[in-house]
Amino acid sequence: MEIFVLNLSAVCLYLAFLLHRVSSISEAVPVRASSPPRGWNSYDSFCWTISEEEFLQSAEIISQRLRPHGYEYVVVDYLWYRRKVKGAYVDSLGFDVIDEWGRMIPDPDRWPSSRGGKGFTEVAKKVHAMGLKFGIHVMRGISTQAFNADTPILDTLKGGAYEDSGRQWRAKDIGLKERACAWMQHGFMSVNTKLGAGRAFLRSLYQQYAEWGVDFVKHDCVFGDDLDINEISFVSEVLKELDRPIVYSLSPGTGVTPAMAKEVSGLVNMYRITGDDWDTWGDVAAHFNVSRDFSAANMIGAKGLQGKSWPDLDMLPLGWLTDPGYVNWKLVLSFIWNILGPVDDSGVAYNTYLPLSTFLHVLVRQRNNEMVAANSRLVAQHLCSNEGPHRTCNLNLDEQRTQMTLWAMAKSPLMFGGDFPYIIGTKGNTRKIKVTPPHLSEVAESNTHVLGLTSYGEMIYKQQYQGKVHLLASKGVGVCLDASPKWKLTSKELRRGSFSKCKRDANQMWQLNPSGALISSYSGLCATVNLVKADVGSGGIRSWIATGRKGEIYVAFFNLNTEKTLISTKISDLAKALPGKNLNGASCKCREVWSAKDYGVLQQTLSTAVGMHGCALFVLNCD
């Protein structure tokens, strides 16, 4: 895969070859994930509470409505082994169902066909009868519950309990308590894969999944900030040995870079490259840059586990959803501070809402204190009560189309997350209730000034001000920080800073040094820079171009701005991005996918007005 970046009328064309349903690859079809997997996952609509009946109803609808379009996997997300009883929540302890070997088995109350040691066998059979493939979510290593019970380890190679060096090995011999899952401290921990007993335990897990008829495994808390390359590597080896081909997926994707992904891409079939994606425009916009980076790194469709591997932009939170469990930093940390004293909160944007899993993850990493973790779990228990789908997606139709188009152009796996039965009314409830999430206005506004750095880029002034930046007030319109040693600021000005209209004057030009200091050569003043997480990709214009297996060309325009924007490009510009297409002088017929509008034969230019947060997807046939 190659990427070309062109400056064309403020449009950047990022080349990501192929859409989901098109391919120009002429090699033999690989066994696993020859194209980005597509299907449905239960998390966005049910969190962990889904039952067998609800799951099979959703699978039936996938089979009827989406299977003809290539959607073939139905995946039950996490905690299918947790009893849905009072006191049970995401990080509770002692509510899981495990077998005599410390392996997780389905909660028989929610999954009644699992009784009698059948596990997911009956569910998998029903899914396969629908023409679909069955997937499950699993966590890293071994459960804390099995560790505390010190269960024996099954030796699937010899049968019976695992023995070595004249003794029987048990859960406490292989569990690494210091490697507990950061966002589920009471749930799971890594196992020591250097020990034969640790490897035997992992092998017994995945052999059991294969016996149940599992076709897809989503392995969580082993990638990104939770990277456990030893466990990923061994699981990959086990999956190679199984008679049943299982697609291997990694999660989550917080902190993932192309360099990290290259370590695992050959071991798996798909891997998350972002944190949890929910139905907010900010979440959608944040995926543009990361998609570009992985395309540029030639990671899309790279060699994977007995097939290919695909960067995963996360599930599509469309349709009927549950709550993501968003937590406000300021309110919750205040609660904890009252009990424990200050927690290191450097870099935290207080006036934002974060997913509960992210809050717990960061909090535990910042302060490895059991009391902090315990009190955050207490908060979580009261704030995160997921009872299944009860609200519609918060993205408007244009934003949903933008998300689908980006996912497709970037060749991300497509895993629908919404609930279908509520949409079409098979559950006897077609009433749509919009639940409004907490608003940022409920939190007191900080007095801290946040300044953005913006380079001065007009060509006529490039030589004079090259390498210099403006300090732009984030809440102002074209207002920048001045610097003059002769000015005496009033107390009011000291509180608000000294801002005036952005201009080309030397007193507004600052030099950013590698040390992180901002220097004004005009005034001699300096300032230090504190890094904060940026709202990446929240504005601007983006465009992707892709080629199809029949020679067609796909061009997608994205408007990330808050107003309608005219976006244009020329056929000659497309020719530069696709040098093998010989488009110079070509006649191209054009059609827009979402509107089905026929543009006829293009006259050298492709141009359209795209609404706020919207997109346009064109198919060009040139001769």
Side-chain angles (χ1 to χ4, degrees):
M1 178 174 297
E2 295 181 273
I3 183 166
F4 298 83
V5 181
L6 309 176
N7 292 320
L8 308 172
S9 304
V11 179
C12 293
L13 291 176
Y14 297 111
L15 178 60
F17 284 107
L18 313 182
L19 286 173
H20 279 280
R21 302 190 63 183
V22 295
S23 173
S24 60
I25 298 173
S26 58
E27 62 189 37
V29 178
V31 175
R32 307 183 199 193
S34 59
S35 61
R38 277 171 276 176
W40 177 81
N41 181 291
S42 63
Y43 178 74
D44 286 352
S45 45
F46 289 93
C47 191
W48 64 273
T49 64
I50 193 169
S51 67
E52 181 173 336
E53 179 184 9
E54 291 166 328
F55 181 79
L56 291 175
Q57 281 183 340
S58 296
E60 185 67 37
I61 295 167
I62 294 292
S63 177
Q64 295 172 0
R65 303 296 181 89
L66 290 182
R67 185 167 64 92
H69 303 285
Y71 288 73
E72 58 179 339
Y73 294 95
V74 284
V75 183
V76 55
D77 212 273
Y78 73 157
L79 302 184
W80 37 266
Y81 35 81
R82 184 148 299 172
R83 295 187 182 277
K84 188 180 175 182
V85 296
K86 184 178 180 180
Y89 61 101
V90 172
D91 198 30
S92 57
L93 177 61
F95 295 91
D96 296 338
V97 184
I98 60 176
D99 67 9
E100 60 181 308
W101 307 108
R103 300 177 299 181
M104 317 310 295
I105 56 177
D107 169 22
D109 293 330
R110 288 192 289 140
W111 303 89
S113 70
S114 68
R115 293 190 174 99
K118 293 181 180 180
F120 276 124
T121 303
E122 296 303 316
V123 171
K125 286 180 180 178
K126 292 179 180 179
V127 167
H128 294 154
M130 299 176 194
L132 300 173
K133 296 179 180 179
F134 176 61
I136 61 173
H137 173 288
V138 300
M139 293 292 293
R140 70 158 53 181
I142 191 169
S143 73
T144 304
Q145 189 167 320
F147 179 89
N148 291 343
D150 204 19
T151 54
I153 296 165
L154 176 63
D155 186 342
T156 59
L157 300 179
K158 298 180 180 179
Y162 183 86
E163 294 183 357
D164 188 30
S165 302
R167 73 180 183 91
Q168 186 181 101
W169 291 65
R170 306 181 77 88
K172 288 187 176 180
D173 297 318
I174 65 170
L176 300 174
K177 292 188 71 174
E178 68 276 12
R179 292 293 310 277
C181 178
W183 55 270
M184 198 188 291
Q185 289 277 300
H186 280 69
F188 292 83
M189 65 186 75
S190 291
V191 298
N192 191 341
T193 55
K194 296 180 179 179
L195 298 175
R199 295 192 297 273
F201 177 76
L202 292 176
R203 184 181 295 108
S204 73
L205 292 179
Y206 288 85
Q207 287 189 352
Q208 177 171 255
Y209 303 151
E211 292 168 0
W212 286 347
V214 170
D215 307 292
F216 180 104
V217 168
K218 177 182 175 182
H219 196 181
D220 209 340
C221 209
V222 292
F223 194 45
D225 290 340
D226 309 295
L227 182 65
D228 190 335
I229 192 65
N230 293 329
E231 182 164 332
I232 293 171
S233 299
F234 184 72
V235 169
S236 183
E237 288 299 318
V238 170
L239 293 177
K240 285 181 184 178
E241 299 168 358
L242 297 176
D243 294 332
R244 183 177 196 84
I246 296 177
V247 169
Y248 188 23
S249 170
L250 300 183
S251 185
T254 310
V256 171
T257 63
M260 180 190 294
K262 286 181 179 179
E263 287 189 73
V264 304
S265 62
L267 304 172
V268 304
N269 302 113
M270 52 186 278
Y271 50 91
R272 282 270 298 281
I273 59 174
T274 67
D276 287 357
D277 172 70
W278 278 93
D279 53 327
T280 70
W281 172 246
D283 279 7
V284 175
H287 287 72
F288 279 89
N289 285 357
V290 69
S291 301
R292 174 204 61 202
D293 294 344
F294 276 81
S295 175
N298 296 323
M299 300 299 295
I300 299 176
K303 183 179 179 181
L305 171 62
Q306 296 184 331
K308 294 185 178 181
S309 64
W310 307 93
D312 178 15
L313 296 179
D314 200 15
M315 295 165 290
L316 295 159
L318 310 174
W320 274 85
L321 305 171
T322 188
D323 292 322
Y326 280 100
V327 176
N328 183 274
W329 271 98
K330 187 168 186 178
L331 298 179
V332 178
L333 283 181
S334 295
F335 171 83
I336 296 174
W337 288 354
N338 288 336
I339 303 172
L340 302 172
V343 176
D344 180 11
D345 61 332
S346 57
V348 173
Y350 280 134
N351 293 337
T352 59
Y353 287 83
L354 296 176
L356 178 62
S357 59
T358 303
F359 168 76
L360 295 176
H361 182 103
V362 175
L363 182 62
V364 172
R365 287 173 68 90
Q366 286 179 338
R367 176 144 169 199
N368 189 17
N369 182 302
E370 179 56 28
M371 289 183 69
V372 172
N375 281 280
S376 64
R377 283 192 298 274
L378 178 62
V379 175
Q381 185 175 1
H382 291 285
L383 291 180
C384 187
S385 60
N386 289 282
E387 289 297 329
H390 61 272
R391 65 179 182 89
T392 55
C393 173
N394 286 317
L395 297 174
N396 64 39
L397 187 57
D398 285 337
E399 292 167 342
Q400 293 180 50
R401 286 172 174 167
T402 292
Q403 182 170 36
M404 284 294 301
T405 303
L406 176 63
W407 264 236
M409 293 294 283
K411 295 208 76 178
S412 170
L414 294 179
M415 291 290 174
F416 190 85
D419 182 41
F420 281 101
Y422 281 105
I423 294 175
I424 66 169
T426 58
K427 289 183 178 177
N429 181 2
T430 58
R431 184 166 58 97
K432 296 185 177 181
I433 305 172
K434 178 137 183 175
V435 178
T436 304
H439 292 287
L440 299 182
S441 59
E442 296 175 3
V443 183
E445 189 172 310
S446 170
N447 290 321
T448 304
H449 285 292
V450 179
L451 304 179
L453 300 181
T454 177
S455 59
Y456 213 90
E458 290 187 40
M459 292 299 295
I460 192 171
Y461 298 98
K462 182 177 180 180
Q463 185 173 357
Q464 182 180 358
Y465 295 123
Q466 190 168 16
K468 303 295 176 65
V469 295
H470 269 141
L471 288 180
L472 183 68
S474 62
K475 295 181 181 180
V477 179
V479 180
C480 293
L481 180 67
D482 296 304
S484 173
K486 299 179 181 179
W487 283 2
K488 292 184 178 180
L489 303 181
T490 66
S491 58
K492 184 177 181 180
E493 288 172 326
L494 281 171
R495 287 196 302 271
R496 74 184 185 195
S498 179
F499 295 92
S500 63
K501 183 178 179 180
C502 294
K503 49 191 179 293
R504 304 183 188 99
D505 292 354
N507 71 314
Q508 284 193 348
M509 297 300 167
W510 298 74
Q511 178 83 37
L512 180 62
N513 288 350
S515 63
L518 282 166
I519 307 295
S520 169
S521 58
Y522 175 82
S523 66
L525 298 177
C526 65
T528 58
V529 178
N530 292 324
L531 298 179
V532 296
K533 187 174 181 180
D535 184 12
V536 178
S538 60
I541 297 171
R542 308 294 176 91
S543 182
W544 284 64
I545 181 172
T547 56
R549 61 184 175 186
K550 295 181 181 180
E552 70 273 30
I553 299 170
Y554 295 85
V555 178
F557 290 159
F558 298 98
N559 178 20
L560 279 62
N561 294 317
T562 56
E563 58 187 13
K564 196 171 187 177
T565 304
L566 181 67
I567 307 176
S568 303
T569 190
K570 296 179 180 179
I571 299 298
S572 58
D573 295 329
L574 301 182
K576 295 175 185 178
L578 301 172
K581 279 296 194 179
N582 192 25
L583 295 178
N584 291 319
S587 175
C588 298
K589 295 180 179 179
C590 179
R591 175 176 58 86
E592 203 282 320
V593 173
W594 290 111
S595 65
K597 179 180 178 180
D598 187 350
Y599 280 66
V601 177
L602 293 183
Q603 301 299 321
Q604 299 303 317
T605 301
L606 176 60
S607 180
T608 190
V610 181
M612 178 182 75
H613 298 172
C615 70
L617 176 59
F618 300 96
V619 183
L620 279 64
N621 290 281
C622 303
D623 51 34

